[in-house]
Amino acid sequence: MTTSRLATLGRDEPSLLPLAQRLLSLAESGLPAMLLPGQEAFAFTMAGTKAPDGSWSLERRGTSTRYAAITALGVRHLSEDRQRVVLAGRTAQEFTGSLVESLPSVTNLGDAALIAWAAAETGHPKLSDALAGVEALDDHDRPQYTVEAAWVLSALAAARDSADVERPLAAARDRLLRARIGNGPLFPHATGPGLVPWYRAHVSCFADQTYPLQALARAHAGGDGDPEALAASEACAARLCELQGEGGQWWWHYDARTGGVVEGYPVYSVHQHAMAPTALFDLADAGGSDFGASIRKGLRWMTDVPELAGHPAAHEPLIVDGLNVTWRKVYRGDPKKAVRAARGLSTRAVPGLRLKPLDRVYRPLSVDHECRPYELGWMLYAWQGGRI
């Protein structure tokens, strides 16, 4: 199905359109195998194992409520018949209904927020129950993880046309805006002190940026507009794009105080093909800047991975059509994430300190052979949105 986002990609960089279409086909084909048989849940991950003859097999491991909700958000953009193929005979709304029914046993704010977001976007008649589940878990007097706080705001923004959510929406919006350190454009890992150890309280990840910038853009797009929220979203997006790697990499860890990169690796496939696109698309749709060039640059990384050039791993694609997966990330393979820890500690004392010898000792030459349902769910959400 043609969407405005795919059409724009085909217009601006025609050579990338087949790649996007290939990824979307892979997502639709791969998600049914991630659905746990006879359950209203998706696996936490699909782990790949390579046999001596070079063949690969996948094993479902764990279960995840939040990944199920994200999948519902993405699948709901498909036609009804295609939704039923992915979700074992159910529509995205019907599948979301089972998630709403599970809310009494949900104890995580992020999981509840994603379920409410899916209920709002699928038009589920029990949206009020889903919103009540979020309210029961959300304590605005205590700090929350930034990602989960952002999902709360996105859920409330999505529910605006169906429920009276202006009071909690304003509180969720203010919480995100207050979380920033000084006048910096980036967001910390938590909305207040207490959840993160002091020595790494300045370190935030890519998700801590994309979900707030998306949520604030969506908050502006509804109601009477919110220029302050849009400006914060715009500033965050502009800084992320300024820091983007020459090969299109969206880096992993940032210094929320200075707006710099703490440690670039791992580079995650989901950031390249889904999370950055959906956040930046939503910003543009809300009236913000068009960061399409950065989206395209990031997408190109999926088949042109500079980290692996000249290395035996260069012959291993990150997109595996036969398995219907995208391998999860390219990473350093350093023991106990030593580089990340060293740079987190060093930048706490000296902002911007890089410890460059670590790049030579621990090169990013490893590929993580996993794929998680939310990666494919967000991919559908990013590129199947904005229908013509």
Side-chain angles (χ1 to χ4, degrees):
M1 184 174 292
T2 302
T3 70
S4 59
R5 293 170 178 178
L6 287 172
T8 299
L9 179 67
R11 180 197 67 207
D12 294 341
E13 195 157 347
S15 64
L16 283 179
L17 180 58
L19 172 58
Q21 293 172 325
R22 175 188 175 193
L23 286 166
L24 289 169
S25 177
L26 176 150
E28 240 182 287
S29 299
L31 281 169
M34 298 180 177
L35 183 64
L36 296 173
Q39 298 186 39
E40 309 292 335
F42 274 81
F44 175 76
T45 192
M46 300 291 279
T49 302
K50 190 174 185 178
D53 64 1
S55 63
W56 286 90
S57 62
L58 294 174
E59 178 189 0
R60 296 188 196 92
R61 293 181 182 173
T63 183
S64 175
T65 297
R66 67 176 49 184
Y67 292 175
I70 292 170
T71 300
L73 280 166
V75 170
R76 77 97 177 168
H77 286 287
L78 302 176
S79 61
E80 182 176 318
D81 59 325
R82 292 159 70 193
Q83 291 178 31
R84 292 188 185 279
V85 171
V86 173
L87 297 173
R90 291 157 294 185
T91 65
Q93 186 191 73
E94 291 165 350
F95 184 79
T96 298
S98 68
L99 297 176
V100 174
E101 294 295 330
S102 76
L103 274 169
S105 63
V106 171
T107 59
N108 180 272
L109 175 62
D111 292 1
L114 286 165
I115 292 171
W117 187 354
E121 292 214 4
T122 61
H124 198 277
K126 291 190 176 181
L127 172 60
S128 59
D129 292 348
L131 293 172
V134 175
E135 184 178 5
L137 292 172
D138 197 1
D139 184 349
H140 284 270
D141 295 328
R142 299 176 59 187
Q144 304 290 347
Y145 289 108
T146 297
V147 164
E148 297 179 355
W151 287 339
V152 170
L153 180 56
S154 286
L156 294 169
R160 228 171 187 167
D161 292 337
S162 304
D164 180 7
V165 296
E166 293 306 317
R167 182 191 59 78
L169 188 149
R173 171 257 195 207
D174 291 347
R175 174 169 59 190
L176 278 182
L177 292 178
R178 287 196 308 267
R180 294 170 299 172
I181 300 173
N183 295 318
L186 300 186
F187 293 84
H189 191 57
T191 61
L195 291 179
V196 182
W198 67 269
Y199 54 84
R200 65 179 311 274
H202 64 297
V203 179
S204 58
C205 68
F206 186 72
D208 295 325
Q209 315 311 321
T210 57
Y211 291 123
L213 83 83
Q214 177 184 33
L216 290 165
R218 292 167 65 87
H220 167 75
D224 297 325
D226 188 337
E228 185 181 358
L230 182 64
S233 176
E234 178 93 16
C236 181
R239 185 56 178 157
L240 287 180
C241 292
E242 183 181 356
L243 294 171
Q244 188 179 19
E246 292 183 4
Q249 303 95 333
W250 296 109
W251 302 123
W252 180 222
H253 275 160
Y254 301 85
D255 190 327
R257 304 166 303 178
T258 66
V261 175
V262 171
E263 162 58 4
Y265 294 94
V267 173
Y268 288 85
S269 294
V270 66
H271 297 169
Q272 307 295 135
H273 64 57
M275 283 171 55
T278 194
L280 296 175
F281 281 141
D282 279 359
L283 172 59
D285 288 350
S289 296
D290 180 1
F291 291 102
S294 294
I295 293 172
R296 297 190 295 274
K297 187 177 180 181
L299 182 63
R300 199 178 303 116
W301 181 89
M302 290 297 302
T303 54
D304 184 11
V305 185
E307 289 80 2
L308 304 180
H311 186 268
H315 301 292
E316 180 183 9
L318 296 181
I319 304 171
V320 189
D321 300 282
L323 296 175
N324 293 314
V325 297
T326 57
W327 292 139
R328 182 163 168 73
K329 64 179 182 281
V330 171
Y331 65 108
R332 294 187 186 277
D334 46 324
K336 298 183 179 180
K337 304 175 183 176
V339 176
R340 189 184 312 180
R343 284 187 166 154
L345 288 170
S346 63
T347 53
R348 180 68 185 180
V350 184
L353 185 63
R354 294 295 302 148
L355 300 178
K356 291 184 178 180
L358 293 173
D359 290 326
R360 295 191 296 271
V361 176
Y362 298 110
R363 297 176 59 198
L365 299 174
S366 299
V367 176
D368 182 355
H369 299 112
E370 289 187 51
C371 185
R372 300 184 181 181
Y374 85 99
E375 299 170 27
L376 306 185
W378 279 142
M379 188 196 301
L380 293 173
Y381 193 86
W383 294 98
Q384 294 284 17
R387 294 190 184 281
I388 293 176

